[in-house]
Amino acid sequence: MEQYAINGGNPLVGEVEIGGAKNAALPILAASLMTDETVLVENMPDVRDTNILLKDMAGIGAHVERLDRHSVRINASLIHDLTVEGDSVKKIRASYYFLGALLGRLGTARVSMPGGCDLGGRPIDQHVKGFVSMGADVDVRSGLICAKVPGGRLAGGQVYLDMVSVGATMNIMLAAVLADGMTIIENAAKEPHIVDLANFLNSMGANIMGAGTDVIKIRGVKQLRGGAYSIIPDQIEAGTYMAAVAAAGGDVLIQNVIPKHLDCITAKLVEMGVEVEELPPEGIAVVATGPLTSDALAEKIMALCGGGLSFFDAAAPIVTRESLDMEHCFAASRYGRGDEEGEEGDYLNCPMNKAEYDAFQEALVTAQRAPVHSFDVRDPKVYEGCMPIEVLAQRGVDAMRYGPMKPVGLRDPATGRRPWAVVQLRSENREGTLY
């Protein structure tokens, strides 16, 4: 679907069920290549990234059987190709999980440079650092990341990640489960999907300890077995709905969640004046009836809450966040507005001065039938999610169009940066583009 028509300005009421976590599904699907036995994966999200990954798995010889939209049976006993390349694999960032899985099981892997969105610098040097520490030779030739282990089997090693990286943590875990000896990952990421990957691998016979902490220890085993596994619910999808209720108001029951995974966004929404109630065993109720009253935001849901910030009470504290590299125009509402005309404020690196910001806010209030365009970004549940939230909370804004719409060469003249989103607003007195 290329476009959604949204009639905003109405509170959200009803019940929604959350699907499986994409960020857990992708490494888990790749991990299913690490055994000769059959693996059944359930609660798999039916999204573009998982479909591309499954297609590429089949392309190297794995037997992939879709039982329904959210269940897949995989047998990788007949893998015949250790090169994963092509246009499809370049469309997703998660293609790098093939490196850890194939290198760990077969000692060789050649994978196209990972794709995904234009989200700035996201190097894979920490992945490579981990592979090299376990004895692999890694280089890049003709657009392929080529990794090979002299002798055919990785050896345990100690890896200190220079920066916390979810992808590197999981990729090193994949490579380490079949390595000889113990591998220790320090400064590891701690997200729920890392714990889910560890649980999946342990269910197949791996020996992983410490997932969910900043030190993970993996004792290599000789082989992994098959089995069945259900992926955790997507806390980012759940957070999207929670932020939507906060922005538009309403009363929504969100089912199939792990409330503990939502503690961060729950705490911040409560501080913002939203009522959140846990309903065991797997539900939460979100109720928003008044103006938002706090500057507190959860890091991973920052973009989603940006839409709601347009509707903060005028007395709400100013929000500043120096640690995030974001350029969302939607996250500009109360972000450190400059005091003088033309003075730069702290807009989370959003390239708008005060005058541009004021014009943006006025356009939001008066916009009618405004098409809102979203580019392909790393996680559409997060970054594209902020746009429908903004639209839902605004009266009269009724069209939202999705890419692929990456405008090559389009840059902000002041900063030279490419925008994450272009918002086209049309009102009675103004028509134009802000980014």
Side-chain angles (χ1 to χ4, degrees):
M1 181 180 293
E2 183 177 305
Q3 177 173 295
Y4 296 100
I6 300 175
N7 184 11
N10 301 304
L12 305 178
V13 179
E15 181 176 329
V16 64
E17 184 168 335
I18 302 303
K22 184 202 76 171
N23 289 337
L26 294 168
I28 284 174
L29 290 174
S32 67
L33 297 175
M34 301 188 70
T35 175
D36 286 337
E37 299 182 16
T38 299
V39 175
L40 173 64
V41 179
E42 299 178 308
N43 200 36
M44 181 191 70
D46 183 18
V47 296
R48 185 193 67 164
D49 285 25
T50 55
N51 292 331
I52 289 176
L53 199 75
L54 289 172
K55 177 182 177 181
D56 290 326
M57 290 168 61
I60 62 174
H63 176 73
V64 177
E65 180 185 2
R66 292 293 289 266
L67 304 179
D68 54 47
R69 283 189 62 196
H70 303 293
S71 301
V72 61
R73 184 181 290 124
I74 300 165
N75 185 289
S77 59
L78 298 178
I79 288 180
H80 55 73
D81 193 349
L82 301 182
T83 301
V84 186
E85 59 181 338
D87 291 339
S88 62
V89 74
K90 295 177 182 177
K91 294 178 181 178
I92 60 173
R93 188 72 181 171
S95 58
Y96 51 44
Y97 292 128
F98 284 115
L99 285 169
L102 296 176
L103 189 63
R105 178 185 169 191
L106 300 169
T108 301
R110 295 178 295 275
V111 180
S112 293
M113 290 292 292
C117 64
D118 184 17
L119 193 62
R122 289 182 289 147
I124 62 168
D125 58 309
Q126 298 303 299
H127 305 239
V128 173
K129 178 180 180 180
F131 299 151
V132 170
S133 72
M134 290 185 280
D137 297 326
V138 183
D139 63 356
V140 178
R141 299 192 301 268
S142 303
L144 290 176
I145 305 170
C146 302
K148 187 171 184 178
V149 184
R153 191 176 181 90
L154 292 167
Q158 188 152 347
V159 185
Y160 184 91
L161 296 178
D162 298 325
M163 58 179 292
V164 177
S165 168
V166 173
T169 298
M170 292 197 286
N171 224 352
I172 296 168
M173 287 169 58
L174 290 172
V177 292
L178 293 176
D180 290 328
M182 173 80 77
T183 299
I184 300 175
I185 308 172
E186 297 184 87
N187 198 31
K190 299 179 283 188
E191 276 75 355
H193 32 285
I194 290 173
V195 178
D196 206 35
L197 174 61
N199 289 340
F200 172 69
L201 290 168
N202 284 340
S203 75
M204 297 168 67
N207 186 351
I208 302 173
M209 301 164 285
T213 75
D214 59 1
V215 178
I216 300 177
K217 298 180 179 180
I218 307 107
R219 188 178 298 280
V221 297
K222 295 298 182 183
Q223 61 183 17
L224 297 176
R225 58 179 176 267
Y229 193 80
S230 181
I231 293 168
I232 60 171
D234 195 322
Q235 75 272 19
I236 300 175
E237 181 182 348
T240 303
Y241 286 111
M242 295 171 73
V245 177
D251 185 344
V252 174
L253 174 62
I254 303 176
Q255 297 278 29
N256 190 33
V257 298
I258 300 176
K260 182 67 177 176
H261 293 173
L262 301 170
D263 281 352
C264 181
I265 180 64
T266 295
K268 301 310 179 182
L269 288 179
V270 168
E271 290 178 28
M272 293 164 69
V274 180
E275 298 177 24
V276 182
E277 180 184 0
E278 182 177 336
L279 301 175
E282 296 180 336
I284 56 171
V286 184
V287 181
T289 57
L292 307 180
T293 57
S294 172
D295 68 338
L297 292 172
E299 179 171 335
K300 192 63 176 178
I301 313 296
M302 175 70 80
L304 297 175
C305 291
L309 294 177
S310 296
F311 310 98
F312 265 36
D313 187 286
I318 289 174
V319 179
T320 60
R321 192 60 181 261
E322 297 178 354
S323 63
L324 298 179
D325 179 20
M326 289 188 171
E327 298 175 3
H328 296 292
C329 55
F330 287 118
S333 181
R334 297 289 178 185
Y335 285 74
R337 178 187 302 213
D339 293 330
E340 302 296 335
E341 188 74 17
E343 180 181 347
E344 293 290 341
D346 177 16
Y347 298 110
L348 292 177
N349 297 324
C350 183
M352 286 195 290
N353 59 28
K354 180 178 182 298
E356 293 169 331
Y357 164 83
D358 288 339
F360 173 68
Q361 286 298 101
E362 181 182 347
L364 278 179
V365 172
T366 61
Q368 296 293 327
R369 307 182 65 80
V372 181
H373 294 269
S374 169
F375 299 108
D376 184 23
V377 290
R378 174 171 58 176
D379 192 339
K381 291 179 182 176
V382 178
Y383 302 110
E384 293 182 0
C386 69
M387 294 188 178
I389 289 174
E390 184 77 49
V391 172
L392 284 169
Q394 290 283 359
R395 292 188 179 276
V397 181
D398 70 351
M400 177 176 171
R401 183 178 296 275
Y402 284 86
M405 299 173 61
K406 295 183 182 179
V408 177
L410 179 60
R411 303 281 175 177
D412 173 64
T415 66
R417 292 178 299 200
R418 176 176 292 179
W420 279 27
V422 170
V423 184
Q424 294 183 343
L425 300 169
R426 181 167 64 250
S427 66
E428 183 176 349
N429 300 317
R430 135 179 328 107
E431 181 173 348
T433 301
L434 296 174
Y435 55 84

